[in-house]
Amino acid sequence: MVYRMVYVSAATAPLDADALLALLTRAREKNQRLGISGLLLYRDGDFIQLLEGEREAVRGLFHTIERDPRHTRTLVLLEGEAEQRLFPDWSMGFRNLSDPAVRATPGFSHLMNTPSWPTAFQHDPDGCLALLALFQPPV
């Protein structure tokens, strides 16, 4: 079993490509050290992130993220035990949902095109997981 958490948040300031790369580099190093895998989706200042690993590690990392002054409006969409990781080989996968190629992905949710897309999943955790699963690496 693995502990899984999906949350959304908003950046307090816009992130350009260099800022996103720096954030990902630090996140990947930390996640690897903590045994956490997952995926980060970003669009226009909004994040949706899946973290998976040992319960204490995931919750501890989330509390660090929640206190990070670069985030605001943090909201947990789902959390709990799962039988296996969705992203076992990714310390932190990443997709920028503003990329037209990503938006053309079959199954890309229409909810992602709404201005309040992160909170649209608040009442649809299955849809949230289905969206994240679209970005699983091929087996």
Side-chain angles (χ1 to χ4, degrees), residues 9-26:
S9 68
T12 54
L15 298 173
D16 62 16
D18 290 337
L20 283 169
L21 180 59
L23 181 141
L24 284 169
T25 300
R26 286 189 305 277

Side-chain angles (χ1 to χ4, degrees), residues 9-124:
S9 68
T12 54
L15 298 173
D16 62 16
D18 290 337
L20 283 169
L21 180 59
L23 181 141
L24 284 169
T25 300
R26 286 189 305 277
R28 287 175 174 150
E29 290 169 359
K30 185 171 189 173
N31 289 0
Q32 187 169 21
R33 195 171 61 250
L34 294 172
I36 292 175
S37 58
L39 175 68
L40 176 66
L41 302 178
Y42 176 80
R43 191 189 94 194
D44 301 332
D46 291 316
F47 295 99
I48 183 168
Q49 183 168 17
L50 165 74
L51 301 171
E52 48 193 8
E54 291 185 13
R55 179 184 174 90
E56 295 78 23
V58 169
R59 295 209 40 84
L61 178 58
F62 173 71
H63 289 306
T64 299
I65 292 166
E66 198 173 31
R67 291 187 307 268
D68 186 323
R70 296 174 295 181
H71 291 267
T72 186
R73 298 191 322 259
T74 305
L75 174 67
V76 174
L77 298 179
L78 64 94
E79 65 179 310
E81 299 290 329
E83 292 199 19
Q84 61 186 12
R85 293 176 188 247
L86 287 175
F87 301 96
D89 300 323
W90 288 4
S91 60
M92 185 49 55
F94 174 74
R95 295 292 184 269
N96 186 337
L97 300 181
S98 298
D99 180 342
V102 172
R103 296 172 75 86
T105 301
F108 190 84
S109 174
H110 71 281
L111 290 174
M112 302 303 292
N113 295 319
T114 64
S116 61
W117 69 272
T119 56
F121 289 109
Q122 185 175 1
H123 303 291
D124 186 13

